[in-house]
Amino acid sequence: MENDIQEPTLRLGDNTVPALRWGSTISHVIWLAVFGVFYATSLYFSWWTWTHWISFVLVGLTLISAIWSIGLRPVYLHKHFRYGFTDEFLQLKSGAFHENYELIPMAKIQAVSTNQGPVLRRFGLYSLEIETMGSSHGIPALPKEVAIEVRNQIARYAKIKEVDE
Amino acid sequence: MMDMKRYHPLSVVFDLVDFVKSFAILAFVVVVNISSDSWIARLGRILLLGSLVFSIIASVMKWFTRKYAADEIAFHLKTGTFEKTERTVYFDKIQNVQRHTSFLHKLFGMTSITFETGTSGMNSNVKFDVLKRSEANRLETLVKEFMQPENVTTEAEDETAPLIQDRIVHFTPTRKDTIKASFTSFSFLIILVIGASIFSKLDQLFNVEDYVEGWFASILTSGWIIAGFTGGLLVLAVTIGVVWTFVKYGNFEIASDGERIYITKGILDETVFSIAKNRVQAVEITQSFMKRILGLAEVKLISAGNIGDDEDEVSSLYPFLPVKRAYGMIAELLPDYEVIPDMKRLPRKSLVVRLIKPYWFWGIATILLAYFRPEVFRLHTGWAIVSIALLVFLIVSRLLTYWNTSYALGGRFIQLSQGTFEKTTFLTRREKIIEVSVKRTKLQQWFSIATIGFINRAKPVRHETLADIPIQEAQQFVEWYAKRIRDVQLQ
C-alpha cells in the first residue's frame, strides 16, 4: 500500500450524505407503513396477540436500523470511502471499524455500469458497479460527470486482455 | 456452409437406456402387478407406455435436428426441434476435457466426451454423449493442436522446455496402495449403505422386517453363531470395500506430456480428465484427519471449467498419495509450480487476537442453556457443564487452527496452509489471482494485523483468506500482487 502503489485518494460526491439519508429514510418509511398496515389488519380481524407483538418488535427493529442507516452510516461511508485507479489497477477502500481494501487488475474487469435511482437522480449522482470474474464491487455515489468519466476510463483500461482467459 | 454432422445414431439407444434406468422401479412395480386390474395399476401402465413412446419420439427428433461440426478454431453446434439454436464455441475458451466411458459405452465401443469452458451459465460446456472413439480422438486432437505452443504464449522459462514430449506415466497405484486406500476411506462401511438400501427397498415390496426379526432372534441365542456371523460379516465388509475401491480407483493413472496432464481412473466406468498445464489455476492439497495420521494426501488441480460432481470429481490426483510423493508429483507435473517447503507461522499476537475474539456461538448457546436449563446427565448443573465443555472445545479448536496455519509468499507463488482437523494447502501463482483484498476489524487494527484475501478462477470461484497476518506482510502481499504485471502477457 506504500511505495509502488499509492493509497487511493478520490472521494465520493459531496452531497452523498443527504442522498443516502433520503434514500434510507424513504425505504424505512415504507417498511414502517407495511408493518403499520399489518398491525392494523391484525387489530381489525382480532388475530392472536402474538401478531401484535411481532409488529411491535418489527417496528422497534426498523427504528434501530433507522438510527444506524439514516443517522450514522451515510456520514461514515462518505468519510472513509476512497477509490483510485491507474491504467493497471482499480483500488477501493472503505470502512473504519471494518476496514476493507481491494486491489483489482483492470484486465480482470468484465463490466462497468452506472446506475441511478430516483433519489440519486434528485441529487445528480450516479452509482457505479464494477464486475470482475469473481465478484462485483460498487462505488455508491459520484457526481454525474465524474461517474461517466470514471466509467469510461475503466472501460478503456479494461479493454486490454491478458492471454489465457 | 460448413459440413455439419449428425450425432451418432446410438444416442437414441442411450437415451432409451437412461429412460429405463430412471423408471426402473416404477416399471418393476407395474410388471409385478401386471395381473392386477385395479385402476391405479392400469393408469400406471398407460402412463409408463405413454412416456416411453414420448421419450422415444423426442429422442429420435432430437437426433434428426442436432448437428455439429468442428474446424481448426471452434465447435459449431446446431440444436432445437422447434426453436433452432446455433452456437459457436472457440477452442481457446476450453479449460479442460473429460472423457467418460461407461460400461454401456464399452459394450458398443463408444465413449462420451465433454469440453468444459470457463464461462458461467447453462451452456458452459460442449458435450457429446455418444460417439465413436476415433471421432472423440479427432475432436480432442483438434483442440490440442489449437493449444500448441505457437498459439499459447506462457512465461519465458517455458520456452526452454522441450515443446512436445512423449507421454510420461507418473503414477499408478500398486495393490498395497489400493488396500491402504480402501481402509483410509472407510469404504468397508459401504456394506452398511448397500445393505440398508437393499433392505428398505425389499421391505417396501415384501415387508420382510417381521420375517427377519424372528430369524434374527433365533440366531442370537447362541454365542458361537453370533461370533461366526459377525466374523463372516466383517470379512464380507472388508472384501466389498476393497473391491469397491478397486473398481473406483483401479486402473488409476496420472500421466502428462509437454502440454497437458491426463488423469485416468475406473474399471467399469472409465474416466479420463485432461487439462493443459497452463490452464491449472491453482493446486490444492487436502489431508483429512485420518490421512494426516497415515501420512497421505489428496492433490487437486483447480480448473476454471467444471470438473464434475462431488461424487465423481475427476480433477483429483490419486486421493491417497503419500505426502512426499504428492509434493514430488506437483513438481513433476507442473514445472511452473513450486511447493515452498518451509512456510512461515503466524506471530504470537495473532494467537492472542484469535483467542480473545468474541465467542458468539458460545454466548448464544449459553444464554439458551441458562434459560431452558435442560437436565443433562441427570444433574441440575448439567447445562453449565455443557456450556463449559463447549467453550473448551471452541478454545481448543482455535488453538489447533492457529497451529495448523502457515503461509509463504515467494517468487510468483503464494501458499496457504490452514485447517482445524483437516488441513488444506492452497498454492497458486500471482497471475492466476484475479483480485486481492486486505481487511481489518477494529481489534485487528489495535494489534496491527490484517486479514488478506484473494480470488481465483474456478467453478465456483475460489475465495481464499488468511486471517491475522502482520500488517507489514499484508502490505507486502499487495505490493507482491501489484508486480503481477511483469508475469502476465497482454494480447
Side-chain angles (χ1 to χ4, degrees), chain B residues 359-384:
Chain B
Y359 294 80
W360 293 115
F361 179 70
W362 174 77
I364 291 166
T366 302
I367 289 170
L368 288 177
L369 282 168
Y371 185 75
F372 289 109
R373 306 240 167 160
E375 275 198 13
V376 190
F377 309 126
R378 298 194 189 145
L379 289 171
H380 286 301
T381 51
W383 66 273

PDB file of all heavy atoms in Angstrom, chain B residues 359-384:
ATOM      1  N   TYR B 359     -16.738 -15.035  21.386  1.00  0.00           N
ATOM      2  CA  TYR B 359     -17.255 -16.384  21.101  1.00  0.00           C
ATOM      3  C   TYR B 359     -18.767 -16.276  20.958  1.00  0.00           C
ATOM      4  O   TYR B 359     -19.512 -16.592  21.873  1.00  0.00           O
ATOM      5  CB  TYR B 359     -16.893 -17.338  22.245  1.00  0.00           C
ATOM      6  CG  TYR B 359     -15.409 -17.579  22.384  1.00  0.00           C
ATOM      7  CD1 TYR B 359     -14.600 -16.658  23.018  1.00  0.00           C
ATOM      8  CD2 TYR B 359     -14.825 -18.728  21.872  1.00  0.00           C
ATOM      9  CE1 TYR B 359     -13.234 -16.857  23.140  1.00  0.00           C
ATOM     10  CE2 TYR B 359     -13.466 -18.952  21.998  1.00  0.00           C
ATOM     11  CZ  TYR B 359     -12.676 -18.020  22.626  1.00  0.00           C
ATOM     12  OH  TYR B 359     -11.327 -18.221  22.748  1.00  0.00           O
ATOM     13  N   TRP B 360     -19.198 -15.789  19.814  1.00  0.00           N
ATOM     14  CA  TRP B 360     -20.632 -15.520  19.617  1.00  0.00           C
ATOM     15  C   TRP B 360     -21.461 -16.778  19.797  1.00  0.00           C
ATOM     16  O   TRP B 360     -22.463 -16.785  20.496  1.00  0.00           O
ATOM     17  CB  TRP B 360     -20.889 -14.949  18.224  1.00  0.00           C
ATOM     18  CG  TRP B 360     -20.311 -13.597  18.019  1.00  0.00           C
ATOM     19  CD1 TRP B 360     -19.322 -13.261  17.156  1.00  0.00           C
ATOM     20  CD2 TRP B 360     -20.662 -12.394  18.704  1.00  0.00           C
ATOM     21  NE1 TRP B 360     -19.024 -11.928  17.257  1.00  0.00           N
ATOM     22  CE2 TRP B 360     -19.840 -11.362  18.200  1.00  0.00           C
ATOM     23  CE3 TRP B 360     -21.583 -12.078  19.703  1.00  0.00           C
ATOM     24  CZ2 TRP B 360     -19.910 -10.055  18.647  1.00  0.00           C
ATOM     25  CZ3 TRP B 360     -21.655 -10.763  20.138  1.00  0.00           C
ATOM     26  CH2 TRP B 360     -20.832  -9.772  19.619  1.00  0.00           C
ATOM     27  N   PHE B 361     -21.008 -17.838  19.154  1.00  0.00           N
ATOM     28  CA  PHE B 361     -21.782 -19.079  19.181  1.00  0.00           C
ATOM     29  C   PHE B 361     -21.948 -19.571  20.617  1.00  0.00           C
ATOM     30  O   PHE B 361     -23.037 -19.917  21.057  1.00  0.00           O
ATOM     31  CB  PHE B 361     -21.081 -20.140  18.326  1.00  0.00           C
ATOM     32  CG  PHE B 361     -21.790 -21.452  18.316  1.00  0.00           C
ATOM     33  CD1 PHE B 361     -23.005 -21.591  17.671  1.00  0.00           C
ATOM     34  CD2 PHE B 361     -21.252 -22.548  18.969  1.00  0.00           C
ATOM     35  CE1 PHE B 361     -23.671 -22.793  17.670  1.00  0.00           C
ATOM     36  CE2 PHE B 361     -21.909 -23.758  18.981  1.00  0.00           C
ATOM     37  CZ  PHE B 361     -23.121 -23.874  18.327  1.00  0.00           C
ATOM     38  N   TRP B 362     -20.838 -19.521  21.363  1.00  0.00           N
ATOM     39  CA  TRP B 362     -20.872 -19.968  22.746  1.00  0.00           C
ATOM     40  C   TRP B 362     -21.812 -19.086  23.565  1.00  0.00           C
ATOM     41  O   TRP B 362     -22.590 -19.568  24.385  1.00  0.00           O
ATOM     42  CB  TRP B 362     -19.464 -19.939  23.334  1.00  0.00           C
ATOM     43  CG  TRP B 362     -19.432 -20.251  24.780  1.00  0.00           C
ATOM     44  CD1 TRP B 362     -19.541 -21.477  25.341  1.00  0.00           C
ATOM     45  CD2 TRP B 362     -19.311 -19.310  25.847  1.00  0.00           C
ATOM     46  NE1 TRP B 362     -19.492 -21.365  26.706  1.00  0.00           N
ATOM     47  CE2 TRP B 362     -19.350 -20.044  27.043  1.00  0.00           C
ATOM     48  CE3 TRP B 362     -19.162 -17.923  25.903  1.00  0.00           C
ATOM     49  CZ2 TRP B 362     -19.250 -19.439  28.288  1.00  0.00           C
ATOM     50  CZ3 TRP B 362     -19.059 -17.309  27.137  1.00  0.00           C
ATOM     51  CH2 TRP B 362     -19.100 -18.067  28.316  1.00  0.00           C
ATOM     52  N   GLY B 363     -21.741 -17.775  23.338  1.00  0.00           N
ATOM     53  CA  GLY B 363     -22.580 -16.836  24.073  1.00  0.00           C
ATOM     54  C   GLY B 363     -24.056 -17.155  23.885  1.00  0.00           C
ATOM     55  O   GLY B 363     -24.808 -17.294  24.852  1.00  0.00           O
ATOM     56  N   ILE B 364     -24.448 -17.310  22.591  1.00  0.00           N
ATOM     57  CA  ILE B 364     -25.865 -17.578  22.303  1.00  0.00           C
ATOM     58  C   ILE B 364     -26.276 -18.914  22.913  1.00  0.00           C
ATOM     59  O   ILE B 364     -27.310 -19.020  23.577  1.00  0.00           O
ATOM     60  CB  ILE B 364     -26.103 -17.559  20.780  1.00  0.00           C
ATOM     61  CG1 ILE B 364     -25.929 -16.126  20.274  1.00  0.00           C
ATOM     62  CG2 ILE B 364     -27.493 -18.066  20.448  1.00  0.00           C
ATOM     63  CD1 ILE B 364     -25.798 -16.006  18.779  1.00  0.00           C
ATOM     64  N   ALA B 365     -25.408 -19.926  22.733  1.00  0.00           N
ATOM     65  CA  ALA B 365     -25.722 -21.253  23.258  1.00  0.00           C
ATOM     66  C   ALA B 365     -25.884 -21.200  24.778  1.00  0.00           C
ATOM     67  O   ALA B 365     -26.804 -21.806  25.335  1.00  0.00           O
ATOM     68  CB  ALA B 365     -24.624 -22.243  22.873  1.00  0.00           C
ATOM     69  N   THR B 366     -25.004 -20.441  25.443  1.00  0.00           N
ATOM     70  CA  THR B 366     -25.067 -20.375  26.907  1.00  0.00           C
ATOM     71  C   THR B 366     -26.330 -19.662  27.380  1.00  0.00           C
ATOM     72  O   THR B 366     -26.970 -20.082  28.348  1.00  0.00           O
ATOM     73  CB  THR B 366     -23.820 -19.667  27.450  1.00  0.00           C
ATOM     74  OG1 THR B 366     -22.683 -20.374  27.003  1.00  0.00           O
ATOM     75  CG2 THR B 366     -23.830 -19.632  28.961  1.00  0.00           C
ATOM     76  N   ILE B 367     -26.697 -18.580  26.670  1.00  0.00           N
ATOM     77  CA  ILE B 367     -27.941 -17.885  27.048  1.00  0.00           C
ATOM     78  C   ILE B 367     -29.119 -18.851  26.935  1.00  0.00           C
ATOM     79  O   ILE B 367     -29.949 -18.954  27.857  1.00  0.00           O
ATOM     80  CB  ILE B 367     -28.155 -16.655  26.147  1.00  0.00           C
ATOM     81  CG1 ILE B 367     -27.115 -15.579  26.503  1.00  0.00           C
ATOM     82  CG2 ILE B 367     -29.568 -16.092  26.341  1.00  0.00           C
ATOM     83  CD1 ILE B 367     -27.056 -14.435  25.541  1.00  0.00           C
ATOM     84  N   LEU B 368     -29.172 -19.590  25.826  1.00  0.00           N
ATOM     85  CA  LEU B 368     -30.265 -20.542  25.636  1.00  0.00           C
ATOM     86  C   LEU B 368     -30.243 -21.607  26.731  1.00  0.00           C
ATOM     87  O   LEU B 368     -31.280 -21.928  27.311  1.00  0.00           O
ATOM     88  CB  LEU B 368     -30.164 -21.209  24.255  1.00  0.00           C
ATOM     89  CG  LEU B 368     -30.508 -20.307  23.071  1.00  0.00           C
ATOM     90  CD1 LEU B 368     -30.304 -21.053  21.771  1.00  0.00           C
ATOM     91  CD2 LEU B 368     -31.954 -19.826  23.192  1.00  0.00           C
ATOM     92  N   LEU B 369     -29.048 -22.138  27.019  1.00  0.00           N
ATOM     93  CA  LEU B 369     -28.921 -23.183  28.040  1.00  0.00           C
ATOM     94  C   LEU B 369     -29.355 -22.652  29.407  1.00  0.00           C
ATOM     95  O   LEU B 369     -30.090 -23.302  30.141  1.00  0.00           O
ATOM     96  CB  LEU B 369     -27.474 -23.674  28.118  1.00  0.00           C
ATOM     97  CG  LEU B 369     -27.027 -24.648  27.035  1.00  0.00           C
ATOM     98  CD1 LEU B 369     -25.524 -24.814  27.076  1.00  0.00           C
ATOM     99  CD2 LEU B 369     -27.695 -25.994  27.232  1.00  0.00           C
ATOM    100  N   ALA B 370     -28.911 -21.416  29.730  1.00  0.00           N
ATOM    101  CA  ALA B 370     -29.232 -20.848  31.032  1.00  0.00           C
ATOM    102  C   ALA B 370     -30.732 -20.600  31.143  1.00  0.00           C
ATOM    103  O   ALA B 370     -31.309 -20.679  32.234  1.00  0.00           O
ATOM    104  CB  ALA B 370     -28.457 -19.549  31.235  1.00  0.00           C
ATOM    105  N   TYR B 371     -31.370 -20.319  29.996  1.00  0.00           N
ATOM    106  CA  TYR B 371     -32.798 -20.037  30.028  1.00  0.00           C
ATOM    107  C   TYR B 371     -33.607 -21.325  30.176  1.00  0.00           C
ATOM    108  O   TYR B 371     -34.500 -21.412  31.007  1.00  0.00           O
ATOM    109  CB  TYR B 371     -33.186 -19.284  28.757  1.00  0.00           C
ATOM    110  CG  TYR B 371     -34.632 -18.857  28.763  1.00  0.00           C
ATOM    111  CD1 TYR B 371     -35.060 -17.784  29.551  1.00  0.00           C
ATOM    112  CD2 TYR B 371     -35.569 -19.524  27.983  1.00  0.00           C
ATOM    113  CE1 TYR B 371     -36.375 -17.400  29.575  1.00  0.00           C
ATOM    114  CE2 TYR B 371     -36.899 -19.146  27.996  1.00  0.00           C
ATOM    115  CZ  TYR B 371     -37.298 -18.077  28.793  1.00  0.00           C
ATOM    116  OH  TYR B 371     -38.605 -17.704  28.814  1.00  0.00           O
ATOM    117  N   PHE B 372     -33.249 -22.336  29.386  1.00  0.00           N
ATOM    118  CA  PHE B 372     -34.061 -23.566  29.399  1.00  0.00           C
ATOM    119  C   PHE B 372     -33.614 -24.564  30.461  1.00  0.00           C
ATOM    120  O   PHE B 372     -34.386 -25.416  30.872  1.00  0.00           O
ATOM    121  CB  PHE B 372     -34.028 -24.231  28.012  1.00  0.00           C
ATOM    122  CG  PHE B 372     -34.797 -23.456  26.992  1.00  0.00           C
ATOM    123  CD1 PHE B 372     -34.132 -22.758  25.981  1.00  0.00           C
ATOM    124  CD2 PHE B 372     -36.181 -23.396  27.022  1.00  0.00           C
ATOM    125  CE1 PHE B 372     -34.845 -22.029  25.051  1.00  0.00           C
ATOM    126  CE2 PHE B 372     -36.891 -22.674  26.092  1.00  0.00           C
ATOM    127  CZ  PHE B 372     -36.223 -21.989  25.102  1.00  0.00           C
ATOM    128  N   ARG B 373     -32.378 -24.459  30.911  1.00  0.00           N
ATOM    129  CA  ARG B 373     -31.823 -25.349  31.934  1.00  0.00           C
ATOM    130  C   ARG B 373     -32.184 -26.824  31.711  1.00  0.00           C
ATOM    131  O   ARG B 373     -32.861 -27.431  32.552  1.00  0.00           O
ATOM    132  CB  ARG B 373     -32.317 -24.945  33.325  1.00  0.00           C
ATOM    133  CG  ARG B 373     -32.061 -23.502  33.647  1.00  0.00           C
ATOM    134  CD  ARG B 373     -31.208 -23.382  34.836  1.00  0.00           C
ATOM    135  NE  ARG B 373     -30.734 -22.007  34.925  1.00  0.00           N
ATOM    136  CZ  ARG B 373     -30.284 -21.458  36.026  1.00  0.00           C
ATOM    137  NH1 ARG B 373     -30.236 -22.173  37.128  1.00  0.00           N
ATOM    138  NH2 ARG B 373     -29.851 -20.232  36.037  1.00  0.00           N
ATOM    139  N   PRO B 374     -31.796 -27.386  30.590  1.00  0.00           N
ATOM    140  CA  PRO B 374     -32.129 -28.799  30.389  1.00  0.00           C
ATOM    141  C   PRO B 374     -31.315 -29.656  31.351  1.00  0.00           C
ATOM    142  O   PRO B 374     -30.193 -29.283  31.720  1.00  0.00           O
ATOM    143  CB  PRO B 374     -31.699 -29.056  28.941  1.00  0.00           C
ATOM    144  CG  PRO B 374     -30.648 -28.056  28.664  1.00  0.00           C
ATOM    145  CD  PRO B 374     -30.937 -26.863  29.512  1.00  0.00           C
ATOM    146  N   GLU B 375     -31.874 -30.766  31.773  1.00  0.00           N
ATOM    147  CA  GLU B 375     -31.136 -31.656  32.676  1.00  0.00           C
ATOM    148  C   GLU B 375     -30.242 -32.574  31.852  1.00  0.00           C
ATOM    149  O   GLU B 375     -30.738 -33.404  31.101  1.00  0.00           O
ATOM    150  CB  GLU B 375     -32.097 -32.495  33.513  1.00  0.00           C
ATOM    151  CG  GLU B 375     -32.563 -31.771  34.746  1.00  0.00           C
ATOM    152  CD  GLU B 375     -33.141 -32.708  35.779  1.00  0.00           C
ATOM    153  OE1 GLU B 375     -32.956 -33.939  35.660  1.00  0.00           O
ATOM    154  OE2 GLU B 375     -33.804 -32.208  36.695  1.00  0.00           O
ATOM    155  N   VAL B 376     -28.942 -32.354  31.966  1.00  0.00           N
ATOM    156  CA  VAL B 376     -28.005 -33.212  31.250  1.00  0.00           C
ATOM    157  C   VAL B 376     -27.338 -34.129  32.265  1.00  0.00           C
ATOM    158  O   VAL B 376     -26.993 -33.682  33.362  1.00  0.00           O
ATOM    159  CB  VAL B 376     -26.936 -32.365  30.527  1.00  0.00           C
ATOM    160  CG1 VAL B 376     -26.120 -33.232  29.595  1.00  0.00           C
ATOM    161  CG2 VAL B 376     -27.602 -31.246  29.759  1.00  0.00           C
ATOM    162  N   PHE B 377     -27.179 -35.362  31.929  1.00  0.00           N
ATOM    163  CA  PHE B 377     -26.613 -36.381  32.830  1.00  0.00           C
ATOM    164  C   PHE B 377     -27.355 -36.410  34.181  1.00  0.00           C
ATOM    165  O   PHE B 377     -26.762 -36.635  35.218  1.00  0.00           O
ATOM    166  CB  PHE B 377     -25.119 -36.127  33.099  1.00  0.00           C
ATOM    167  CG  PHE B 377     -24.312 -35.934  31.856  1.00  0.00           C
ATOM    168  CD1 PHE B 377     -23.510 -34.811  31.688  1.00  0.00           C
ATOM    169  CD2 PHE B 377     -24.362 -36.865  30.824  1.00  0.00           C
ATOM    170  CE1 PHE B 377     -22.771 -34.628  30.521  1.00  0.00           C
ATOM    171  CE2 PHE B 377     -23.612 -36.681  29.688  1.00  0.00           C
ATOM    172  CZ  PHE B 377     -22.823 -35.569  29.527  1.00  0.00           C
ATOM    173  N   ARG B 378     -28.618 -36.095  34.211  1.00  0.00           N
ATOM    174  CA  ARG B 378     -29.431 -36.073  35.444  1.00  0.00           C
ATOM    175  C   ARG B 378     -28.852 -35.145  36.503  1.00  0.00           C
ATOM    176  O   ARG B 378     -28.911 -35.404  37.701  1.00  0.00           O
ATOM    177  CB  ARG B 378     -29.559 -37.480  36.020  1.00  0.00           C
ATOM    178  CG  ARG B 378     -30.260 -38.412  35.051  1.00  0.00           C
ATOM    179  CD  ARG B 378     -30.690 -39.666  35.711  1.00  0.00           C
ATOM    180  NE  ARG B 378     -31.162 -40.588  34.699  1.00  0.00           N
ATOM    181  CZ  ARG B 378     -30.995 -41.884  34.783  1.00  0.00           C
ATOM    182  NH1 ARG B 378     -30.375 -42.402  35.815  1.00  0.00           N
ATOM    183  NH2 ARG B 378     -31.461 -42.679  33.847  1.00  0.00           N
ATOM    184  N   LEU B 379     -28.192 -34.068  36.050  1.00  0.00           N
ATOM    185  CA  LEU B 379     -27.627 -33.128  37.013  1.00  0.00           C
ATOM    186  C   LEU B 379     -28.320 -31.782  36.839  1.00  0.00           C
ATOM    187  O   LEU B 379     -28.666 -31.388  35.724  1.00  0.00           O
ATOM    188  CB  LEU B 379     -26.123 -32.935  36.769  1.00  0.00           C
ATOM    189  CG  LEU B 379     -25.215 -34.108  37.133  1.00  0.00           C
ATOM    190  CD1 LEU B 379     -23.806 -33.834  36.635  1.00  0.00           C
ATOM    191  CD2 LEU B 379     -25.214 -34.313  38.643  1.00  0.00           C
ATOM    192  N   HIS B 380     -28.490 -31.066  37.934  1.00  0.00           N
ATOM    193  CA  HIS B 380     -29.090 -29.730  37.831  1.00  0.00           C
ATOM    194  C   HIS B 380     -28.144 -28.767  37.149  1.00  0.00           C
ATOM    195  O   HIS B 380     -28.560 -27.861  36.445  1.00  0.00           O
ATOM    196  CB  HIS B 380     -29.448 -29.213  39.226  1.00  0.00           C
ATOM    197  CG  HIS B 380     -30.648 -29.878  39.788  1.00  0.00           C
ATOM    198  ND1 HIS B 380     -31.873 -29.828  39.144  1.00  0.00           N
ATOM    199  CD2 HIS B 380     -30.833 -30.631  40.890  1.00  0.00           C
ATOM    200  CE1 HIS B 380     -32.748 -30.524  39.852  1.00  0.00           C
ATOM    201  NE2 HIS B 380     -32.139 -31.040  40.917  1.00  0.00           N
ATOM    202  N   THR B 381     -26.853 -29.001  37.396  1.00  0.00           N
ATOM    203  CA  THR B 381     -25.860 -28.096  36.820  1.00  0.00           C
ATOM    204  C   THR B 381     -25.405 -28.572  35.442  1.00  0.00           C
ATOM    205  O   THR B 381     -24.434 -28.059  34.908  1.00  0.00           O
ATOM    206  CB  THR B 381     -24.641 -27.987  37.750  1.00  0.00           C
ATOM    207  OG1 THR B 381     -24.222 -29.322  38.045  1.00  0.00           O
ATOM    208  CG2 THR B 381     -24.979 -27.266  39.018  1.00  0.00           C
ATOM    209  N   GLY B 382     -26.110 -29.550  34.892  1.00  0.00           N
ATOM    210  CA  GLY B 382     -25.719 -30.131  33.612  1.00  0.00           C
ATOM    211  C   GLY B 382     -25.530 -29.086  32.531  1.00  0.00           C
ATOM    212  O   GLY B 382     -24.559 -29.141  31.772  1.00  0.00           O
ATOM    213  N   TRP B 383     -26.435 -28.095  32.505  1.00  0.00           N
ATOM    214  CA  TRP B 383     -26.356 -27.082  31.449  1.00  0.00           C
ATOM    215  C   TRP B 383     -25.043 -26.321  31.533  1.00  0.00           C
ATOM    216  O   TRP B 383     -24.434 -25.990  30.516  1.00  0.00           O
ATOM    217  CB  TRP B 383     -27.543 -26.132  31.541  1.00  0.00           C
ATOM    218  CG  TRP B 383     -27.545 -25.298  32.797  1.00  0.00           C
ATOM    219  CD1 TRP B 383     -28.065 -25.626  34.001  1.00  0.00           C
ATOM    220  CD2 TRP B 383     -26.963 -24.004  32.944  1.00  0.00           C
ATOM    221  NE1 TRP B 383     -27.855 -24.637  34.896  1.00  0.00           N
ATOM    222  CE2 TRP B 383     -27.183 -23.615  34.278  1.00  0.00           C
ATOM    223  CE3 TRP B 383     -26.289 -23.132  32.087  1.00  0.00           C
ATOM    224  CZ2 TRP B 383     -26.746 -22.397  34.770  1.00  0.00           C
ATOM    225  CZ3 TRP B 383     -25.861 -21.921  32.578  1.00  0.00           C
ATOM    226  CH2 TRP B 383     -26.079 -21.549  33.915  1.00  0.00           C
ATOM    227  N   ALA B 384     -24.562 -26.067  32.773  1.00  0.00           N
ATOM    228  CA  ALA B 384     -23.307 -25.330  32.944  1.00  0.00           C
ATOM    229  C   ALA B 384     -22.142 -26.166  32.438  1.00  0.00           C
ATOM    230  O   ALA B 384     -21.227 -25.657  31.791  1.00  0.00           O
ATOM    231  CB  ALA B 384     -23.113 -24.974  34.408  1.00  0.00           C
TER     232      ALA B 384
END
